[in-house]
Amino acid sequence: MASSTEGNTRPVRLADIAKAAGVSHGTASNVFSRPEIVREEVRERVKAAAEAMGYAGPDPKGRLLRAGKVNAIGVATTEPLSYFFEDPFARTMMAGISEACDATGAGIALVSAGNEEKLAWNIQSALVDGFILFCIEGGLRLVELTRERKLPFVALELGFDDDTVSAIGVDNVAGARLAAHHLAKLGHRRFAVLSLPFADDRTGPVSPEQVRTAVYPGTRDRLVGYFEALSRFGIDTAGIPVYETENDEASTRAGLETIFASAEPPTAILAMSDRIAMVAIEWLAARGIAVPGDVSVIGFDGVPDAALCNPPLTTIAQPIAEIGRRAARTILDFDGTVRRETLGVELVVRASSGSPPKTA
Amino acid sequence: MASSTEGNTRPVRLADIAKAAGVSHGTASNVFSRPEIVREEVRERVKAAAEAMGYAGPDPKGRLLRAGKVNAIGVATTEPLSYFFEDPFARTMMAGISEACDATGAGIALVSAGNEEKLAWNIQSALVDGFILFCIEGGLRLVELTRERKLPFVALELGFDDDTVSAIGVDNVAGARLAAHHLAKLGHRRFAVLSLPFADDRTGPVSPEQVRTAVYPGTRDRLVGYFEALSRFGIDTAGIPVYETENDEASTRAGLETIFASAEPPTAILAMSDRIAMVAIEWLAARGIAVPGDVSVIGFDGVPDAALCNPPLTTIAQPIAEIGRRAARTILDFDGTVRRETLGVELVVRASSGSPPKTA
DNA sequence: GGCTAAAATTGGATCGATTCAAAAATACAC
DNA sequence: GTGTATTTTTGAATCGATCCAATTTTAGCC
């Protein structure tokens, strides 16, 4: 109905209005991209023609090819797209990325896909100037896929061992050491670890052998840090149960069931993420186990929610938003070099950790 | 250093490897887009040439121009980009949009900008097949800007009066009626309204005159709903203080200060968003005013956080994620028609509302 | 009016691919 | 060995703009 929404046939190109206005396509182009260099009378004539023919303005598809730059950065993950809006860690990271993008006026393109094949296609065809990779599960594959594009990219979080890829993350060993040291110093001697995945698609108790061959360096480093600190307190780390979760509710609960089925349950839980820690706190509360009265819990990440849960979570805080900002800048100001940054972490003591019970 | 990251000179085009492999560019193109139709021997030769020359695969920029479809939908707002990841309402909406996009393999491009001019440019140059508009402040302008692109788009939330634009939202009048009715039925007689903006860049107490000329229909409708329901209880709506906030902490607090400075403060607060309501609850708690003992608070939206605050918030729940899903589908399955949908809302009674105090 | 400098306009080349009708190569049958 | 059917390959046309060197117009001045 309305003259503006024909919706059917619509091949109005710049060349069409150029012809209609009786000027060359060069001039027509200038009317839109550098209006100041075309004579007013001509400019108005072209604009009028554009208006009359329902021209939508220069099509960015055409401009893109010539210009080369998209002015958007892609953020990719193997998780579903909703991960970006639901996971607290991802959200905080995205807020940091957003900030850097806002500052330069760049856009953000979210890339993800259900299956491998679609993911590959989506990465190959994403219209972006570079990628930030959320290397959760399948991070290695994600890096490989992205490398094919030969665009700048930076891996987040899991410090990739591969020195040829740019990465920004934290010192996981140091952070984990801080966490374990905090609890050991409070007097704890019986620990359990609720871990992030060591490799793709695994879950369950972990043997030392499996730890050694861990695919995800971040997970491995955190465990190394825990054990290093505990060893210094004379604790036999070989006896500490390590349960691998998928950083979700179901697998964490399963881990807790296993761990607390033991004859000598732990008085302290080292959780490799705040999400795991918060599920643990909830599970313990539901079982009538006091936190930190009976069991202390420490998380890892320092997501905003951790301060709000009950009791507030003691955790190792990463500068999440800052990592995001730096990642975005790495792409935005790409200079052709590999950039690997390790940021510091911080122990944030809240109410979920305390001395072990006297009876224990 | 690494052969893959030269980063400097890199104009390897499909045509280059075609020449190197001694085939036409048509055949070279087929090797990547329809490998099954080219003879194996040739296919391998071309692939080898591509590998040798460090070809990154067909550049999507080139393909795009020919193909026409981007396979991504743009989500635009006048707020900063971080809004998508920080605001609970936006997040829930985005989760719904994500779901629909995941299902069809489409990507999401986030569009925003600090100032008007940049926003216009970003919308004009966004590489997307259509837009979903978060019409918060400046929604009208956003719609105008987007209309220029002549791509399918749908406005969210604020039921646009303009019947020529597709929109998905809820029945604000009905929802507000539900809210006011709930509180009035509990016995409340002294109300205050903490409102969303009525027009761009405003804040402060609102006169009836201003309400009538409200620019944002959503805000207006909610107020109409409140007043309608209260009138039925014989309450003089003209005496109800309406304070316009910007849906943020500062302006909401300012509103509360004003409202509770009155000689006869309200026993019930009608907040037009959960965010406002949650700030109000916090503010009241800090002043030692019991919720719902002294003052009842009801929100609007039904964001997930509302169930977790203390006390849990009574609110009017919109099917936020469903709105998002439908909006995305409207773009993805665009058929050239204007689509306007109004979804139902639901009163969710939690602990923030109760009978007014006896003394009042 | 004639001349020069400055401003505006032109139109071909380019960005990097895909498409498709026509031509060439190969396979098969007799 | 020839003719037909089938599979491959070719190369010009197209997608929609921007850029820029060359050309044409206009402006300014004597």
Side-chain angles (χ1 to χ4, degrees):
Chain A
M1 286 292 138
S3 69
S4 58
T5 27
E6 293 298 344
N8 216 355
T9 55
R10 255 210 31 225
V12 188
R13 301 186 307 309
L14 187 50
D16 298 328
I17 73 161
K19 190 182 303 177
V23 299
S24 72
H25 52 269
T27 298
S29 174
N30 286 335
V31 168
F32 292 95
S33 49
R34 298 130 83 203
E36 70 280 3
I37 74 163
V38 13
R39 197 151 40 95
E40 173 159 1
E41 187 250 315
V42 176
R43 198 193 316 150
E44 293 310 325
R45 181 149 42 94
V46 173
K47 277 188 176 166
E51 181 74 23
M53 304 182 69
Y55 180 58
D59 187 330
K61 294 201 283 288
R63 170 168 39 225
L64 176 61
L65 189 53
R66 194 101 239 289
K69 264 218 168 310
V70 182
N71 197 33
I73 102 173
V75 186
T77 177
T78 54
E79 305 284 309
L81 279 175
S82 59
Y83 168 77
F84 292 117
F85 304 100
E86 288 175 339
D87 182 85
F89 182 83
R91 271 164 37 203
T92 312
M93 186 76 82
M94 291 307 302
I97 294 174
S98 299
E99 225 176 273
C101 287
D102 262 334
T104 66
I108 293 180
L110 268 18
V111 178
S112 141
N115 58 58
E116 270 275 328
E117 200 184 352
K118 279 216 159 183
L119 181 66
W121 172 256
N122 283 353
I123 288 187
Q124 275 162 28
S125 62
L127 294 158
V128 298
D129 300 319
F131 287 95
I132 293 178
L133 307 182
F134 270 69
C135 298
I136 321 297
E137 286 207 58
L140 246 23
R141 182 86 187 104
L142 192 53
V143 168
E144 270 172 47
L145 246 26
T146 307
R147 186 180 261 142
E148 300 267 291
R149 273 299 293 273
K150 299 193 169 132
L151 288 177
F153 71 94
V154 51
L156 284 188
E157 241 286 272
L158 293 200
F160 259 74
D161 283 343
D162 185 343
D163 262 3
T164 66
V165 347
S166 291
I168 300 182
V170 296
D171 186 337
N172 286 300
V173 179
R177 249 192 243 125
L178 234 46
H181 180 268
H182 168 67
L183 293 177
K185 201 163 179 200
L186 283 169
H188 291 274
R189 288 301 175 268
R190 294 211 311 273
F191 291 84
V193 175
L194 284 175
S195 152
L196 289 169
F198 282 92
D200 290 337
D201 302 324
R202 292 210 52 250
T203 298
V206 180
S207 72
E209 178 50 37
Q210 289 171 332
V211 170
R212 215 162 302 123
T213 60
V215 176
Y216 300 163
T219 306
R220 186 198 54 207
D221 290 352
R222 289 184 191 181
L223 197 64
V224 166
Y226 288 152
F227 283 6
E228 248 180 60
L230 296 181
S231 297
R232 253 173 243 162
F233 281 83
I235 297 168
D236 172 27
T237 57
I240 297 177
V242 175
Y243 193 96
E244 186 173 358
T245 76
E246 282 174 51
N247 198 30
D248 67 354
E249 197 162 321
S251 58
T252 300
R253 284 166 176 281
L256 286 159
E257 300 281 1
T258 308
I259 288 167
F260 281 87
S262 145
E264 278 218 321
T267 65
I269 293 180
L270 294 157
M272 283 200 198
S273 82
D274 285 352
R275 192 158 178 194
I276 294 175
M278 286 158 78
V279 171
I281 285 179
E282 211 176 294
W283 185 90
L284 290 167
R287 300 266 292 219
I289 301 174
V291 177
D294 299 317
V295 172
S296 286
V297 177
I298 190 167
F300 205 117
D301 286 348
V303 302
D305 308 27
L308 307 173
C309 76
N310 185 17
L313 183 67
T314 294
T315 191
I316 303 298
Q318 305 188 37
I320 310 177
E322 177 63 18
I323 295 177
R325 274 188 293 267
R326 291 193 188 212
R329 284 211 211 96
T330 301
I331 302 304
L332 263 9
D333 321 330
F334 183 66
D335 60 359
T337 67
V338 172
R339 176 158 308 174
R340 294 178 68 83
E341 297 190 63
T342 303
L343 307 187
V345 294
E346 201 182 342
L347 169 66
V348 177
V349 180
R350 298 207 187 91
S352 71
S353 60
S355 307
K358 293 276 148 56
T359 58
Chain B
M1 284 295 138
S3 70
S4 58
T5 27
E6 293 298 343
N8 216 356
T9 55
R10 256 210 29 224
V12 187
R13 300 184 312 307
L14 187 51
D16 299 327
I17 74 160
K19 191 183 300 176
V23 299
S24 72
H25 38 267
T27 298
S29 174
N30 286 335
V31 167
F32 292 95
S33 49
R34 296 131 82 201
E36 70 281 4
I37 74 163
V38 15
R39 196 151 41 96
E40 173 160 1
E41 187 250 315
V42 176
R43 197 193 317 151
E44 293 310 324
R45 180 150 43 94
V46 172
K47 278 189 176 165
E51 181 74 22
M53 303 181 68
Y55 181 59
D59 187 331
K61 294 201 282 287
R63 176 184 14 243
L64 176 60
L65 189 52
R66 195 102 240 290
K69 263 219 170 308
V70 183
N71 197 33
I73 102 174
V75 186
T77 176
T78 54
E79 305 284 310
L81 279 176
S82 59
Y83 168 76
F84 291 117
F85 303 99
E86 288 174 340
D87 183 85
F89 182 83
R91 269 165 38 203
T92 312
M93 185 76 82
M94 290 307 300
I97 294 174
S98 299
E99 225 175 273
C101 287
D102 262 334
T104 66
I108 294 180
L110 268 18
V111 178
S112 141
N115 56 59
E116 269 275 327
E117 199 184 353
K118 280 215 157 184
L119 181 66
W121 172 256
N122 284 352
I123 288 188
Q124 275 162 28
S125 62
L127 294 158
V128 298
D129 300 319
F131 287 94
I132 293 178
L133 307 182
F134 269 69
C135 298
I136 319 297
E137 287 206 57
L140 246 24
R141 182 86 187 103
L142 192 53
V143 167
E144 270 172 47
L145 247 24
T146 306
R147 185 180 262 140
E148 300 267 292
R149 271 299 292 275
K150 299 192 170 135
L151 288 178
F153 70 94
V154 50
L156 285 189
E157 242 287 272
L158 294 201
F160 261 74
D161 282 343
D162 184 344
D163 261 3
T164 67
V165 346
S166 291
I168 300 183
V170 295
D171 186 338
N172 286 300
V173 179
R177 249 192 245 127
L178 234 44
H181 180 267
H182 168 67
L183 293 177
K185 200 164 181 201
L186 283 169
H188 291 275
R189 287 301 175 266
R190 294 212 310 274
F191 292 84
V193 175
L194 284 174
S195 152
L196 288 170
F198 282 91
D200 290 336
D201 301 323
R202 291 211 52 251
T203 297
V206 180
S207 71
E209 177 50 37
Q210 288 171 332
V211 170
R212 213 162 303 121
T213 61
V215 176
Y216 300 163
T219 306
R220 185 199 56 209
D221 289 353
R222 290 185 191 181
L223 197 65
V224 166
Y226 288 152
F227 284 5
E228 247 179 62
L230 296 181
S231 298
R232 251 172 246 162
F233 281 83
I235 297 167
D236 172 28
T237 57
I240 295 177
V242 175
Y243 193 96
E244 184 174 358
T245 76
E246 283 174 52
N247 198 30
D248 66 354
E249 197 162 322
S251 59
T252 300
R253 282 166 177 280
L256 286 158
E257 299 281 0
T258 308
I259 288 167
F260 281 89
S262 145
E264 278 218 320
T267 65
I269 293 181
L270 294 158
M272 283 200 199
S273 82
D274 285 352
R275 193 159 179 192
I276 294 174
M278 286 158 78
V279 171
I281 285 179
E282 211 176 294
W283 186 89
L284 292 166
R287 300 264 292 217
I289 301 174
V291 176
D294 299 319
V295 172
S296 286
V297 177
I298 189 167
F300 205 116
D301 286 348
V303 302
D305 309 27
L308 306 172
C309 76
N310 187 14
L313 184 67
T314 294
T315 191
I316 302 300
Q318 306 188 36
I320 310 179
E322 177 63 18
I323 294 177
R325 273 188 294 268
R326 292 193 188 211
R329 283 211 211 94
T330 301
I331 303 303
L332 262 9
D333 321 331
F334 183 66
D335 61 358
T337 67
V338 171
R339 176 158 308 174
R340 294 177 68 83
E341 298 190 62
T342 303
L343 306 188
V345 294
E346 199 181 343
L347 170 66
V348 176
V349 180
R350 298 208 187 91
S352 72
S353 60
S355 306
K358 294 272 148 57
T359 59

